[in-house]
């Protein structure tokens, strides 16, 4: 059922920019239209293109935000999230914790 | 069409919501009557999908709507949600999915979360239900308010609800405080209010505390039912009596607590048709989205949001309900 929702109504997560738009809903409590516009402006694309898989896949790779396929030599996990912080201008708690641990050592 | 009109009228009456427009009603009828098996939104209208239950839906039995693949690891399950199913958010949860049992295993859960969060990219939540019923006899340490009401001992019944709520707030503070130490990205307070108004107030206070612990926390408060049961009756949050509140008022309380996203619920009436139920849900949630200042994600699982109550939910109802609520109730997520 959840997968059906994802296909029928969802933004597509890392296949597109669903995770980025969701970051803004959480970080700034933005409603969907505002969150889409914010992310589109940061990526310098039209909001309509946020869910065009092939188009945004290259943007994700260029900006180091992680791609959904197993692409060698691209940021994954924490490094990708740190790049997302920079692109969107937000702070992610897990990234901050990671930075504190690195600095502590 | 008659079913849509009747469901809309029932929803408008229950939640003091305005009727849908004639255009809304006709569009809803078109979507319901679409002969396609899979019905989805048009390009550009997609919304965020959040999900309760976390990765254990793979391993759980049918009692928790799981699919019983017990051989899959928790980390692999989260990564499958990320990469195979391309979900917008990810979640980790303990199999009991409730705060009380979570408290006893929180350190194991912190280690598991720490290991997985470094490998995934979308927002990664931890989820649990307040489930305050577990604090009452015969399972918990407090006398059962329902038993006390049966013998007309209202004062003791209310006192036990208040004591259980205090314990729940303390458990929430402890658990979110521990998770904050390891960089938790956010918490999904799921199925809130299942034990009535005292549980709803306890959850709001728990979310408020978590917001103070981590100003960057991603907080979802999702409901268990469309109205707050007044099992206590007089519980208040920031001066508002919460018993009897419907989604529009609940969302305002969630916003006051510091939540980022509110999960609105409208119960499915299993004696009524899909058109009746989805029209009712749309009417109630449209009022909620029009008044809320934070994003509203409609709960569209088994038995809520117009979705039928059955273990294996028909996919065509899932897509139609999502499309109707996105187009007509203007939800920000599912």
């Amino acid at each position: 059922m959840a997968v059906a929702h994802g296909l029928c109504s969802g933004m597509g997560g890392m296949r597109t920019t669903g995770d980025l738009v969701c970051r803004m809903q959480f970080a700034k409590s933005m409603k969907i239209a505002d969150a889409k516009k914010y992310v589109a402006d940061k990526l310098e694309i039209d909001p309509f293109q946020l869910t065009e898989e092939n188009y945004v896949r290259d943007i994700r790779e260029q900006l180091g935000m992680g791609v959904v396929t197993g692409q060698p030599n691209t940021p994954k996990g924490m490094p990708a999230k740190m790049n997302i912080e920079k692109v969107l201008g937000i702070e992610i708690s897990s990234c901050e914790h990671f930075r504190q641990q690195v600095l502590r050592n | 069409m008659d079913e849509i009109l009747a469901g809309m009228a029932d929803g408008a009456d229950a939640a003091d919501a305005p009727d849908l427009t004639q255009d809304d009603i006709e569009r809803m009828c078109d979507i319901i009557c679409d002969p396609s098996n899979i019905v989805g939104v048009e390009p550009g209208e997609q919304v965020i999908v959040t999900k309760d239950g976390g990765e254990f839906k793979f391993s759980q039995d049918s009692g928790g709507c799981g699919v019983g693949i017990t051989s899959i690891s928790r980390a692999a399950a989260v990564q499958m949600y990320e990469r195979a199913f391309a979900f917008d958010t990810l979640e980790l949860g303990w199999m009991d999915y409730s705060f009380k049992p979570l408290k006893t295993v929180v350190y194991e859960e912190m280690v598991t979360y720490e290991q997985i969060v470094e490998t995934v990219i979308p927002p990664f939540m931890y989820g649990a239900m307040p489930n305050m019923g577990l604090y009452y006899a015969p399972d918990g340490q407090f006398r059962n308010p329902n038993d006390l009401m049966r013998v007309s001992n209202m004062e003791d019944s209310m006192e036990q609800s208040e004591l259980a709520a205090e314990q729940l707030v303390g458990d929430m503070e402890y658990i979110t405080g521990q998770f904050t130490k390891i960089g938790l990205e956010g918490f999904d307070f799921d199925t809130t209010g299942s034990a009535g108004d005292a549980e709803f107030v306890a959850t709001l206070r728990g979310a408020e505390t978590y917001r103070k612990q981590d100003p960057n926390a991603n907080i979802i408060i999702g409901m268990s039912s469309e109205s707050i049961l007044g099992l206590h009756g007089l519980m208040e949050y920031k001066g508002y009596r919460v018993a009897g509140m419907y989604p529009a008022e609940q969302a305002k309380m969630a916003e006051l607590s510091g939540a980022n996203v509110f999960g609105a619920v409208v119960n499915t009436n299993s004696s009524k048709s899909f058109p009746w139920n989805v029209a009712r849900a749309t009417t109630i949630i449209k009022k909620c989205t029009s008044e809320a200042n934070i994003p509203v994600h409609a709960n569209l699982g088994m038995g809520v949001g117009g979705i039928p109550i059955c273990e294996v939910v028909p996919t065509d109802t899932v897509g139609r309900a999502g499309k109707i609520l996105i187009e007509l109730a203007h939800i920000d997520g599912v």
Side-chain angles (χ1 to χ4, degrees):
Chain A
M1 181 170 56
V3 174
H5 276 309
L7 287 171
C8 295
S9 306
M11 287 205 65
M14 283 179 53
R15 281 171 56 83
T16 60
T17 56
D19 59 320
L20 308 180
V21 173
C22 188
R23 287 277 178 206
M24 298 319 301
Q25 281 204 341
F26 283 134
K28 305 290 183 189
S29 295
M30 288 179 174
K31 295 215 169 193
I32 187 71
D34 294 335
K36 284 181 177 178
K37 183 175 187 312
Y38 183 93
V39 174
D41 287 348
K42 291 291 183 183
L43 301 183
E44 299 180 347
I45 62 175
D46 187 277
F48 194 82
Q49 294 172 308
L50 290 171
T51 49
E52 289 185 5
E53 290 91 341
N54 281 322
Y55 190 77
V56 293
R57 185 248 180 254
D58 290 347
I59 294 175
R60 290 194 75 111
E61 184 172 358
Q62 288 163 13
L63 297 175
M65 297 191 294
V67 295
V68 75
T69 50
Q71 178 80 6
N73 196 29
T74 57
K76 299 169 184 64
M78 192 56 71
K81 279 196 277 204
M82 289 178 165
N83 290 333
I84 289 170
E85 279 186 312
K86 287 178 191 168
V87 172
L88 297 184
I90 59 172
E91 190 172 275
I92 300 172
S93 296
S94 64
C95 297
E96 181 58 24
H97 178 66
F98 186 83
R99 280 189 289 268
Q100 287 174 4
Q101 287 191 314
V102 173
L103 289 174
R104 193 170 60 195
N105 294 327
Chain B
M1 186 63 88
D2 288 346
E3 292 288 289
I4 292 174
L5 293 172
M8 175 189 73
D10 196 84
D13 180 55
D16 196 20
D19 286 347
L20 301 172
T21 66
Q22 189 59 35
D23 286 347
D24 286 347
I25 293 166
E26 289 173 8
R27 179 64 177 150
M28 188 182 299
C29 189
D30 289 343
I31 295 170
I32 292 171
C33 295
D34 187 323
S36 306
N37 179 34
I38 302 296
V39 178
V41 296
E42 294 175 12
E45 293 194 347
Q46 296 96 328
V47 299
I48 297 302
V49 174
T50 48
K51 182 186 175 305
D52 70 342
E55 86 303 338
F56 62 76
K57 290 289 184 185
F58 275 103
S59 58
Q60 242 184 358
D61 64 21
S62 61
C65 299
V67 293
I69 308 174
T70 56
S71 56
I72 195 168
S73 75
R74 300 178 76 187
V78 173
Q79 289 169 334
M80 285 174 67
Y81 274 120
E82 178 192 44
R83 292 173 175 275
F85 303 139
F87 269 44
D88 298 316
T89 59
L90 309 172
E91 190 174 305
L92 187 72
W94 182 240
M95 63 182 76
D96 286 310
Y97 205 55
S98 301
F99 275 93
K100 186 182 172 188
L102 170 59
K103 189 178 179 184
T104 61
V105 295
V106 68
Y107 291 106
E108 286 81 354
E109 291 300 274
M110 289 161 66
V111 172
T112 305
Y113 183 91
E114 273 187 299
Q115 291 175 352
I116 300 174
V117 76
E118 292 186 8
T119 69
V120 295
I121 295 172
F124 184 34
M125 316 289 283
Y126 197 91
M129 301 186 294
N131 202 358
M132 205 168 79
L134 292 180
Y135 292 82
Y136 297 134
D139 301 309
Q141 63 270 52
F142 300 105
R143 287 184 288 162
N144 195 309
N146 297 307
D147 293 339
L148 292 165
M149 278 194 279
R150 281 193 202 101
V151 293
S152 300
N153 192 346
M154 300 306 292
E155 286 188 5
D156 280 358
S157 173
M158 293 164 76
E159 183 186 28
Q160 294 304 301
S161 290
E162 292 163 15
L163 291 171
E166 284 300 322
Q167 180 68 54
L168 176 56
V169 171
D171 288 351
M172 287 176 168
E173 180 176 1
Y174 174 75
I175 288 166
T176 55
Q178 294 303 314
F179 271 114
T180 298
K181 292 177 185 173
I182 53 103
L184 178 71
E185 292 185 5
F187 209 103
D188 175 9
F189 295 85
D190 183 62
T191 322
T192 294
S194 61
D197 50 349
E199 181 187 307
F200 185 51
V201 170
T203 306
L204 295 168
R205 289 174 56 195
E208 190 179 332
T209 301
Y210 180 32
R211 171 61 64 215
K212 289 174 185 166
Q213 292 166 338
D214 181 5
N216 293 322
N218 307 331
I219 302 177
I220 302 178
I221 294 180
M223 299 305 297
S224 60
S225 59
E226 65 189 40
S227 68
I228 306 291
L229 293 174
L231 292 178
H232 180 286
L234 301 178
M235 293 295 292
E236 293 185 355
Y237 182 69
K238 297 196 173 181
Y240 296 93
R241 188 174 297 177
V242 302
M245 281 184 172
Y246 268 77
E249 295 81 29
Q250 295 163 9
K252 290 169 189 165
M253 297 299 105
E255 183 184 348
L256 281 176
S257 76
N260 302 109
V261 173
F262 174 68
V265 164
V266 174
N267 301 97
T268 293
N269 183 337
S270 60
S271 298
K272 300 291 187 180
S273 66
F274 173 71
W276 188 94
N277 277 297
V278 79
R280 186 174 184 276
T282 304
T283 306
I284 294 173
I285 292 179
K286 186 176 183 182
K287 180 186 181 189
C288 178
T289 56
S290 68
E291 296 182 6
N293 295 311
I294 58 175
V296 175
H297 289 196
N299 285 29
L300 292 176
M302 177 180 64
V304 290
I307 305 290
I309 302 174
C310 43
E311 188 178 82
V312 183
V313 174
T315 303
D316 75 301
T317 62
V318 173
R320 281 170 225 273
K323 185 177 174 73
I324 288 168
L325 281 154
I326 290 167
E327 283 194 21
L328 308 182
H330 312 300
I331 55 174
D332 303 284
V334 170

